[in-house]
Amino acid sequence: MSVNMDAALAKAEQEAQRLQQQAEQEAAMKVALPLRFAQNMAAFRQYIPHIADMYEAYQPARPFKFFCSENGQPNLAWLDDDVAVYGAEPYLICETLVQEFMEKGGLSKFSFSQEANPLGFMHVEYLNKLNTYLDEISIREDMLSQVPHEVPSALIFGVGLGYHLGYLYERCKIGTLFLFEPDLDLFYGSLFCFDWAPLLAYLHQENLGLHILLGQDEETIVKDFSSAIHSRGSFLIANAFIMWGYQNDKIRKLIEKVQQEYYLLVMGWGFFDDNLIALSHTINNIERAVPFLKKEHRISSKYQRTPIFIVANGPSLDNAIATLEKNKDKAIIVSCGSAISALHKIGIKPDIHVETERTKIVYDFLVNLNDPDYLRDILFLSTDVIHPDCASLFNQSALVFKLGEPGVVLYHNYFSHLTASAAIGGVNPLVGNIGVSAPIHLGFKSLYLFGLDNGYKNKGHHHSKLSSYYNNEESAGALGDMMYGDSQWQREGNFGGTIISNAMFDTSRRVIEQVLATNEDVRCFNCSDGAKIEKTRALPSVEISLSSPVDKTALLAEITALCAPIPLSKQDFSSLLDVEFFNIFIDKMVAEWRQEFSSRNELNQLMLRNFGYLAQIAATRQQHIAQTMMGSMNYVFTLLSSILYSFEGEEETLELMKPAIDLWLEFLSKAREMYPRALDSVDMIDSEVMALFRK
């Protein structure tokens, strides 16, 4: 009996000691946490002031308490359900998490396949060479088997109380960290528990990037991530280390959302030759006195509710022909790109024709209709980068500047004293995008979409069978193969079922959704049997019944009256190219790449520094130079980064980098030769693809 009593007493004494020790730890924690918070806030005030502003007088939405486990490690529990962020060993849990991700995880990979280069683009030539080199060395060299001790970027989902960040930086040098935290209260908790101050000082000292993406709304977080990536360099996401810091529904949904959006971050970068062609086309269109839409000019209110039929060349157009025929006098018909060949075949003339592609194939395709009278009295509506011969096929043309191109920034930066011209976004990647964006910009509020499928139901029927895609059955197959690409995704259908889509179609759909979301007063009916588009109402074309005819002559005359030529010539632009500054920029980069490198991080930092020059140039009147180089630098740096972070052994990898760096230096040398001819780079090449459209 006494033995049991002694044991019970000893146990009680132990428990009393444990409780006393925990009470002492809790008391010490109550003193330490506010001190740590003050130090962290001072550090954020110094390095990331907007976070300090956000948490200066912060009141948590969901009350919590701090407590410490037996080992004295601060933890957090929510008062409403008494659930803690971590179990009994917060530090060990976080250390183990980092260790497992480092040992079992890898880096995200982007691959660019070999591209046909019928137009002889220098950018495509060098991207293909870098790709070939990467493929060759991947066969013979040892690939990285786990996450290396230096990575160019990391995406960490969930800050929790921040402990895993300390363990992560102990094991790994991260060029740029994107830190996602959807729970503002939890980040507030981390300011008390984790030593942010020394981490921020270390990042500053080592010139390592940190973007903290906070917020309750997934859409906003993803938008902030996208703009952070674009400003720092989109190439960073090509070799990112990805992990989560804790898991719950919010984090899982956020990871899913970022995964869905990831491909959008590597689309639409543009490239060097393409930008020179664009600039040349802009200046040629201006010199030929093609009218440009004036800024903030819209059609009058009496025409705003006019039905606008936007006709794209998707497979479901074939089933809408009767509706178009029946209502052709009661709506303005806008043909998008190759859809004009289907309308021509059935004898319907659109009122407006839109195009977005800049290469000569657009002009050649229109000429291939072999009916110049058919085109004459259609209003041609496009962007400044369109091939300058296109306007010669129409009696009336109207152009708008396309945002994000070198021409628009050159014009706006140097000719602000002239009448301001309109500039619009949302016109890419497919011609259906300008089909939606341009009428909305003009002020139209009632849109109907036909053949805007953004996908297809079966592979043999990828465009309207009435269009030039099917002038020749054999060619239709070849054009289909070119269009499908490798990735095929399932997307919800507009009238139910599923649609086969791909990256290009899906991006086009998303861009239309964004345009409609920012123009909520527009009613948009989706009559296409293709992919579902948010913010549109599904409406089978057979249900359309319009009553009033449209005075098309008056309406189109009003649109053309909103436009005027820009009174400038090529001479006005020549000196503004600033060839001397371009050469200084290229020479500076070349000099920096001609050195010996001692680490992966050194090379990664150089790419970031080069990309940083673009941001500096973009803030000056030479912004067009940044615009011209940005796309190709993103593509090349993606491949250089892939070589840098794919192979075992740092020294061996630095040797493997040398031939790749030589290719990059060759590219820069050729860019230096080509840039002075930027205004004489109109696309004159006959695309081999045109042969597939001929009968």
Side-chain angles (χ1 to χ4, degrees), residues 388-400:
D389 288 346
C390 288
S392 68
L393 301 172
F394 302 84
N395 289 338
Q396 299 285 350
S397 296
L399 301 182
V400 290

Side-chain angles (χ1 to χ4, degrees), residues 614-657:
L614 294 179
Q616 290 167 16
I617 295 168
T620 71
R621 289 175 97 187
Q622 280 100 342
Q623 189 181 356
H624 60 280
I625 289 176
Q627 216 86 45
T628 303
M629 288 297 292
M630 188 176 291
S632 283
M633 282 173 68
N634 262 323
Y635 280 109
V636 172
F637 287 178
T638 295
L639 284 169
L640 292 182
S641 186
S642 292
I643 297 168
L644 192 57
Y645 292 97
S646 288
F647 303 101
E648 289 285 4
E650 192 161 39
E651 278 182 43
E652 293 85 342
T653 296
L654 294 176
E655 277 302 309
L656 293 174
M657 285 300 295

Side-chain angles (χ1 to χ4, degrees), residues 528-548:
S528 314
D529 190 10
K532 180 181 177 181
I533 300 172
E534 296 294 335
K535 310 286 181 190
T536 66
R537 190 179 133 202
L539 178 70
S541 58
V542 291
E543 292 180 18
I544 295 170
S545 181
L546 303 175
S547 51
S548 312

Side-chain angles (χ1 to χ4, degrees), residues 276-289 292 384-386 388 401 406-408 410-411 415 566 568-574 577 678-680 682:
L276 294 195
I277 288 171
L279 192 51
S280 198
H281 288 181
T282 300
I283 308 312
N284 271 270
N285 279 315
I286 289 172
E287 189 164 57
R288 292 183 186 199
F292 275 68
D384 58 310
V385 303
I386 195 74
F401 278 110
V408 67
L410 196 60
Y411 178 70
F415 299 103
I566 294 170
L568 294 170
S569 69
K570 195 188 289 185
Q571 283 306 107
D572 296 311
F573 288 94
S574 292
L577 281 180
L679 301 189
D680 300 304
V682 171

Side-chain angles (χ1 to χ4, degrees), residues 297-306 442-445 554-555 558-559 562:
H297 280 52
R298 304 282 187 274
I299 50 155
S300 56
S301 56
K302 71 172 177 176
Y303 290 127
Q304 286 182 359
R305 292 285 165 200
T306 304
L442 285 167
F444 292 107
K445 310 284 186 200
L555 195 157
E558 188 169 302
I559 293 174
L562 302 176

Side-chain angles (χ1 to χ4, degrees), residues 507-563:
T507 304
S508 174
R509 175 184 63 82
R510 294 297 309 280
V511 169
I512 292 169
E513 289 174 350
Q514 287 160 8
V515 168
L516 293 173
T518 51
N519 293 278
E520 290 186 349
D521 56 340
V522 172
R523 285 189 319 155
C524 187
F525 300 97
N526 189 359
C527 314
S528 314
D529 190 10
K532 180 181 177 181
I533 300 172
E534 296 294 335
K535 310 286 181 190
T536 66
R537 190 179 133 202
L539 178 70
S541 58
V542 291
E543 292 180 18
I544 295 170
S545 181
L546 303 175
S547 51
S548 312
V550 175
D551 185 350
K552 297 190 176 196
T553 307
L555 195 157
L556 294 173
E558 188 169 302
I559 293 174
T560 55
L562 302 176
C563 308

Side-chain angles (χ1 to χ4, degrees), residues 412-481:
H412 284 160
N413 285 339
Y414 286 96
F415 299 103
S416 53
H417 57 285
L418 296 177
T419 305
S421 294
I424 67 171
V427 297
N428 276 79
L430 298 174
V431 70
N433 293 103
I434 189 174
V436 173
S437 287
I440 289 176
H441 186 82
L442 285 167
F444 292 107
K445 310 284 186 200
S446 188
L447 310 185
Y448 294 77
L449 312 180
F450 300 90
L452 220 159
D453 297 357
N454 286 315
Y456 48 89
K457 288 186 171 178
N458 68 73
K459 207 169 174 181
H461 192 184
H462 48 75
H463 283 85
S464 163
K465 294 261 181 161
L466 296 163
S467 69
S468 298
Y469 275 83
Y470 290 88
N471 281 346
N472 163 337
E473 263 327 301
E474 196 180 321
S475 299
L479 285 161
D481 290 342

